[in-house]
Amino acid sequence: MTRRSVLNLVCLGSHAASVTLISGRCVRPVHTAARNNASSLPQNAFKPEKVAVVTKTTRYEFEQQRYRYAGLSEEDLKHLLAMKGSSYSGLLERHNIHTNSVEHIVKSLQKEGIDVRVVKRGEYDEEVVRWADAIISAGGDGTMLLVASKVLSKDKPVVGVNTDPERSEGHLCLPVRYTRQFPEALQKLCRGEFRWLWRQRLRLHLEGTGINPTPVDLHEQQLSLEQHSQAHRITTRGRQQRAGSVPENFSEHSVLPIRSLNEIFIGESLSSRMKLKTFTPHVKLFPHRASYYEISVDDGPWEKQKSSGLSICTGTGSKAWSYNINKLTEQTVEEILKIGKSQTSLDIPLHREFIENVTDEYNESLVFSPEDRRLFFSVREPIANRVFSSSRQRGFASKVCVRSRCWDACMVVDGGTSFEFNDGAIATISMSEDDQLRTVLLEH
C-alpha cells in the first residue's frame, strides 16, 4: 500500500475501521444511524485525493456578464455603474478579495498533494460531484446552498469557506478566521481535530398532473416576474427536445434530484421570489395573487388554504427565511402583554427588560438543531373565512403533502432552483437518513 493510499483512508466518524481499498480507491460502507451523533470526534485523518472548489459569481463578474452582449468596454461599465449608484472600484476590490481567497485555498490544497479542480457556479454539475472526494464551497451561504443541493451522497463531505467575510455572513461556512488561515483549518482536518455535523435535508416527491421536473436556476437567470414563467417553458422545451422523452402532462411519480438544506417555498410565482430588486418599464405587473392549495400534515386530513405561500424548512434553515417569517418584534410583544394585563388581574410587568426577554425567548424557540429530523412548516399570511381555514399556521412535522390548486406556481428550493407546481400536482416533502449532508465543525 502506497503512502498516498494510507493517507486516503478517510475517517468516517467511528466507522473508520471498516473503510477498504479497491484498486487504490477508498470505498465506504453504508452506515447506521449511530453515526448521527455530531459530537463524536473523528479518530483518524481526513484527506481526500480530489477536491472540487466551487466559486461564487462576484457582483463584478455578474455586471460584466450582464452587459457583455452590448459590447460595453470597461469604461462604459464604469459609467453605467456610476449611473446606478454603484462603485466600479468597490466591486473590483471585492472581486479581488474573493479571487485571492480562492487562490489561497487552492494553493493550500495543492501543497498537501491534493488534486484540485476549480469550478465556477455555472459550471457546477453532477459530473463535478462524481469526480470529487470532497467539495469546498468558496463564497458565502448562497454558494454553500448551491453546492449542497447537488450532493446526494451522505458520504461526500462539503466544507464552506467564506471568501469575503466583510460582506457575507457565512453562517454555513467555517469560522471567518480560517478564510485567511485556511492552511491551519486544513491541517486540523488532516489530524482529525474536528467534529462531523450531519445536516438534515428535505427531499421532494412529485406526482400528479401540472408538474414539471425540469428546474430553472434563478441565480443564473436573474429573471423578472414575466420572464420567470417563460423560462420554465423555454428551459423545459429545450431539454425535452434534447431528451425526447418527457410528455407535456408529466404524471409519473418522481423524487427530484435535488436536496434542500435550508427551505422549500411553495406559492404563486408572484409570491415565491424572495428578492425582487428592480422592475423594467415593459414588464406587465399584476396585482398580488394568493396561493391556493390543499395541505396534509403527517398524513392528517387535507385542508384547503389560501395564503401568500408555504415555507418548509430544516433546522439549518430555521435561522434563515423561516425565522423572519415567524419572529415577533418587541413592539408586538408589548402590545400583546398590555392586552393581557387589561383582560386579567395579573400584574404583568411592562418594563423594557421583561419585554426583551419574552421576545428573545419566543424567537429563540423558532430555531432548532441542524441535525433534528423534523421539518418546520409555516403558512405565510393565511386567509381565514368560511371556505378556507388554517388550523395550524406553523409547526413541526415529519412529512408535509401539498396539492396545488394554483395556475402559475412554483416550488423554490433554497432560493435558487425553481420547479413548476400547478393545478393537479402533489408534492410530498420529507426527510431521510440517506439525505444527510456531511459537514464539519471546527472550533474558533
Side-chain angles (χ1 to χ4, degrees):
M1 184 180 294
T2 65
R3 178 177 179 273
R4 181 61 178 256
S5 297
V6 172
L7 285 173
N8 286 281
L9 287 176
V10 180
C11 168
L12 302 180
S14 60
H15 299 267
S18 60
V19 177
T20 59
L21 274 177
I22 297 179
S23 300
R25 294 189 57 138
C26 202
V27 179
R28 303 170 176 87
V30 176
H31 304 294
T32 64
R35 69 177 189 178
N36 263 334
N37 185 359
S39 63
S40 59
L41 190 67
Q43 300 300 314
N44 295 321
F46 164 70
K47 187 176 181 182
E49 287 187 349
K50 297 178 292 185
V51 170
V53 178
V54 182
T55 71
K56 72 176 182 180
T57 299
T58 65
R59 170 77 186 283
Y60 172 78
E61 291 174 312
F62 169 74
E63 294 291 353
Q64 279 192 322
Q65 295 169 9
R66 186 180 183 186
Y67 297 108
R68 182 176 297 165
Y69 72 93
L72 295 182
S73 66
E74 285 293 300
E75 287 301 318
D76 292 332
L77 182 59
K78 288 180 184 179
H79 180 67
L80 186 60
L81 290 172
M83 291 177 61
K84 297 196 300 181
S86 298
S87 168
Y88 173 88
S89 60
L91 296 184
L92 184 58
E93 178 186 7
R94 306 324 299 184
H95 171 77
N96 290 335
I97 288 173
H98 165 74
T99 54
N100 289 338
S101 295
V102 172
E103 184 178 352
H104 182 53
I105 294 168
V106 171
K107 288 183 177 179
S108 301
L109 293 167
Q110 291 174 336
K111 189 175 180 180
E112 295 296 323
I114 298 173
D115 189 9
V116 182
R117 184 172 169 183
V118 180
V119 180
K120 297 297 294 184
R121 61 169 297 144
E123 303 165 348
Y124 178 59
D125 56 19
E126 289 75 11
E127 188 277 325
V128 174
V129 175
R130 287 193 298 269
W131 175 85
D133 298 323
I135 303 177
I136 290 180
S137 163
D141 287 339
T143 309
M144 181 67 172
L145 291 172
L146 169 75
V147 169
S149 69
K150 297 183 187 300
V151 179
L152 303 186
S153 171
K154 59 185 177 182
D155 291 330
K156 185 157 299 189
V158 176
V159 180
V161 180
N162 188 346
T163 54
D164 190 3
E166 292 182 9
R167 295 297 178 91
S168 176
E169 178 65 26
H171 172 70
L172 302 176
C173 302
L174 297 178
V176 294
R177 77 180 188 89
Y178 292 119
T179 298
R180 293 186 175 87
Q181 301 176 28
F182 185 73
E184 179 185 346
L186 189 56
Q187 288 301 318
K188 286 187 175 182
L189 293 176
C190 291
R191 294 193 298 263
E193 297 175 6
F194 65 94
R195 293 181 293 158
W196 293 119
L197 177 60
W198 300 92
R199 293 184 181 271
Q200 301 293 331
R201 296 189 290 177
L202 302 174
R203 66 163 52 188
L204 266 168
H205 296 256
L206 280 182
E207 58 185 311
T209 60
I211 65 174
N212 188 337
T214 306
V216 169
D217 188 330
L218 301 182
H219 289 294
E220 294 300 322
Q221 298 281 355
Q222 295 293 322
L223 303 173
S224 70
L225 288 174
E226 188 173 298
Q227 291 169 320
H228 175 69
S229 299
Q230 295 173 351
H232 275 293
R233 295 190 290 271
I234 294 170
T235 304
T236 301
R237 194 158 51 239
R239 293 184 182 179
Q240 288 178 6
Q241 288 173 353
R242 290 192 295 272
S245 59
V246 182
E248 184 176 349
N249 293 319
F250 187 87
S251 60
E252 180 182 345
H253 182 281
S254 66
V255 179
L256 296 184
I258 190 171
R259 300 294 180 266
S260 172
L261 182 57
N262 259 10
E263 80 276 310
I264 294 170
F265 183 81
I266 299 175
E268 288 282 0
S269 295
L270 292 178
S271 305
S272 56
R273 295 300 300 276
M274 287 188 293
K275 297 178 180 178
L276 197 61
K277 297 181 179 178
T278 59
F279 295 92
T280 52
H282 70 277
V283 174
K284 184 179 180 181
L285 298 180
F286 298 93
H288 173 76
R289 181 185 298 156
S291 302
Y292 176 23
Y293 54 88
E294 299 172 35
I295 182 173
S296 169
V297 178
D298 288 334
D299 295 319
W302 289 89
E303 181 177 84
K304 290 182 179 180
Q305 291 187 349
K306 270 192 175 182
S307 70
S308 295
L310 178 67
S311 168
I312 302 167
C313 79
T314 64
T316 297
S318 65
K319 290 184 177 181
W321 195 15
S322 173
Y323 178 83
N324 289 291
I325 290 174
N326 294 294
K327 72 178 181 181
L328 295 180
T329 64
E330 291 180 10
Q331 179 183 356
T332 301
V333 171
E334 182 177 10
E335 291 171 357
I336 292 173
L337 291 176
K338 285 180 179 179
I339 293 173
K341 186 172 184 177
S342 67
Q343 295 292 318
T344 67
S345 58
L346 297 176
D347 183 20
I348 301 176
L350 296 176
H351 56 78
R352 182 55 50 195
E353 183 180 359
F354 179 75
I355 293 171
E356 289 177 356
N357 290 339
V358 172
T359 304
D360 290 343
E361 185 168 344
Y362 173 80
N363 289 340
E364 288 169 5
S365 71
L366 300 172
V367 179
F368 55 106
S369 170
E371 47 190 337
D372 196 318
R373 293 191 180 181
R374 298 174 299 169
L375 53 83
F376 187 79
F377 69 92
S378 305
V379 180
R380 201 175 77 162
E381 300 169 337
I383 296 173
N385 53 35
R386 63 182 180 82
V387 178
F388 300 100
S389 61
S390 180
S391 58
R392 295 177 64 193
Q393 188 171 341
R394 69 182 68 85
F396 288 98
S398 298
K399 179 173 69 173
V400 173
C401 296
V402 183
R403 179 186 289 118
S404 176
R405 296 302 183 203
C406 299
W407 293 104
D408 186 24
C410 54
M411 296 183 299
V412 179
V413 179
D414 289 338
T417 304
S418 176
F419 297 87
E420 280 187 15
F421 188 64
N422 290 321
D423 189 31
I426 300 175
T428 301
I429 298 97
S430 60
M431 288 182 173
S432 169
E433 182 187 347
D434 293 336
D435 295 334
Q436 297 172 97
L437 183 69
R438 179 191 291 266
T439 62
V440 299
L441 283 179
L442 283 180
E443 302 299 333
H444 290 271

